């Protein structure tokens, strides 16, 4: 009837052992390894694994106006006992971006990371906008790439191959067009409007979360004139 956690030489009794012999036997967790448990150890020290609750709903972003994280939690319903399976992680995080402050006002453009994709996607987007009657004049922003993560060079899928052409120091063009062009402000998120001269701004490639970096805004133009491999699109 004894049951002791861990290794405990004092957790000693006398009786029948699993091999049928009689004499001193133990009721601590270590007896399973040393093979000197009392015959009723398995019943007295039933293995009970950890039991946890379902995940909670995701929280909001930890901080507004920047790339940060959200959290969900779960709690322990039953602690593990007698060598039962340990509890899994009780907290999980995922990336997120919140475009509104706690007071409900829109974030400054310079604080929002730009989400970009290949400029070739814009041709199909323009066709859809024209068919829907939503086509509006967009604009182009030139940036100088400052820093790029190594993940951009390891994009093996066909839809992420364009990321390999991103190089530090190069000038790139990013077009703002419908539907990324917001009707109220007439700007795309992350275009750097309102940023200071030479301020480092953040960008993130869509389709590969490991491809991101920083750039500096050079100027805004009516149309883009960069080579196709250096032409991108705000999402």
């Amino acid at each position: 009837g004894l049951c002791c956690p861990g290794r405990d030489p004092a957790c000693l009794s006398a009786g029948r052992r699993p091999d049928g012999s009689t004499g001193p036997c133990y009721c601590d967790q270590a007896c399973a390894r040393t093979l000197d448990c009392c015959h009723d150890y398995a019943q007295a020290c039933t293995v009970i694994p950890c039991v946890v609750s379902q995940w909670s709903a995701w929280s909001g972003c930890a901080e507004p106006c920047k790339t940060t994280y959200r959290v969900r939690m779960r709690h322990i319903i039953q602690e593990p006992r007698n060598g039962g399976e340990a509890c899994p992680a009780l907290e999980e995080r995922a990336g997120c971006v919140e475009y509104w402050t706690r007071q409900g006002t829109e974030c400054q453009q310079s604080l929002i990371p730009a989400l970009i994709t290949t400029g070739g996607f814009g041709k199909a987007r323009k066709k859809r906008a024209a068919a829907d009657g939503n086509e509006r004049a967009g604009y182009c922003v030139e940036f100088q790439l400052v820093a790029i993560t190594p993940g951009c060079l390891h994009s093996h899928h066909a839809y992420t191959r364009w990321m390999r052409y991103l190089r530090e120091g190069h000038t790139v063009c990013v077009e703002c067009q419908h539907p990324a062009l917001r009707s109220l402000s007439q700007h795309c998120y992350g275009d750097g409007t309102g940023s200071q001269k030479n301020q480092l701004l953040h960008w993130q490639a869509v389709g590969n979360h490991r491809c991101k970096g920083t750039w500096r805004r050079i100027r805004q133009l009516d149309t883009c004139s960069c080579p196709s491999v250096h032409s991108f699109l705000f999402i």
Side-chain angles (χ1 to χ4, degrees):
L2 294 175
C3 183
C4 307
R7 185 176 183 87
D8 185 357
C11 196
L12 175 68
S13 184
R16 185 163 46 87
R17 303 189 187 105
D19 61 3
S21 62
T22 58
C25 58
Y26 293 86
C27 301
D28 61 351
Q29 277 182 261
C31 76
R33 295 192 301 273
T34 55
L35 303 178
D36 54 4
C37 297
C38 296
H39 74 279
D40 66 342
Y41 173 78
Q43 290 77 38
C45 296
T46 303
V47 173
I48 300 176
C50 178
V51 179
V52 296
S53 67
Q54 296 294 317
W55 286 111
S56 68
W58 285 104
S59 70
C61 291
E63 295 181 65
C65 305
K66 62 190 296 186
T67 302
T68 179
Y69 63 89
R70 52 190 175 138
V71 179
R72 64 177 182 173
M73 311 282 288
R74 55 187 175 185
H75 62 271
I76 296 173
I77 298 174
Q78 171 66 62
E79 293 278 1
R81 293 173 57 189
N82 307 325
E85 185 178 352
C87 294
L90 301 178
E91 179 181 304
E92 191 172 74
R93 297 186 178 189
C96 71
V97 179
E98 179 56 67
Y99 295 123
W100 298 85
T101 67
R102 306 267 190 246
Q103 293 72 37
T105 58
E106 197 169 12
C107 299
Q108 296 180 37
Q109 286 288 319
S110 60
L111 299 178
I112 299 172
L115 301 178
I116 62 170
T117 189
T118 174
F121 180 67
K123 296 177 182 178
R125 181 187 266 183
K126 285 180 178 178
K127 287 181 180 179
R128 288 194 300 270
D132 296 338
N134 293 324
E135 189 171 18
R136 296 194 303 274
Y139 60 92
C140 179
V141 183
E142 287 186 356
F143 295 93
Q144 182 184 35
L145 291 168
V146 176
I148 300 168
T149 57
C152 299
L153 301 177
H154 305 295
S155 300
H156 304 298
H157 298 290
Y159 61 87
T160 61
R161 208 164 288 153
W162 60 272
M163 301 174 192
R164 299 181 186 179
Y165 297 101
L166 294 166
R167 293 290 186 274
E168 293 177 1
H170 283 185
T171 296
V172 297
C173 297
V174 187
E175 189 173 359
C176 176
Q177 58 178 230
H178 178 82
L181 178 62
R182 295 174 298 137
S183 57
L184 293 178
S185 67
Q186 291 295 301
H187 283 283
C188 286
Y189 278 123
D191 71 353
T193 298
S195 62
Q196 302 296 316
K197 185 177 180 181
N198 291 326
Q199 181 178 345
L200 284 180
L201 307 172
H202 293 267
W203 57 268
Q204 165 77 58
V206 174
N208 178 1
H209 67 276
R210 295 189 300 272
C211 182
K212 54 190 173 183
T214 57
W215 56 18
R216 289 190 178 94
R217 178 181 167 115
I218 299 174
R219 57 178 175 168
Q220 180 174 319
L221 304 168
D222 292 334
T223 58
C224 291
S225 59
C226 292
S228 60
V229 292
H230 295 154
S231 296
F232 306 105
L233 197 68
F234 289 111
I235 293 295

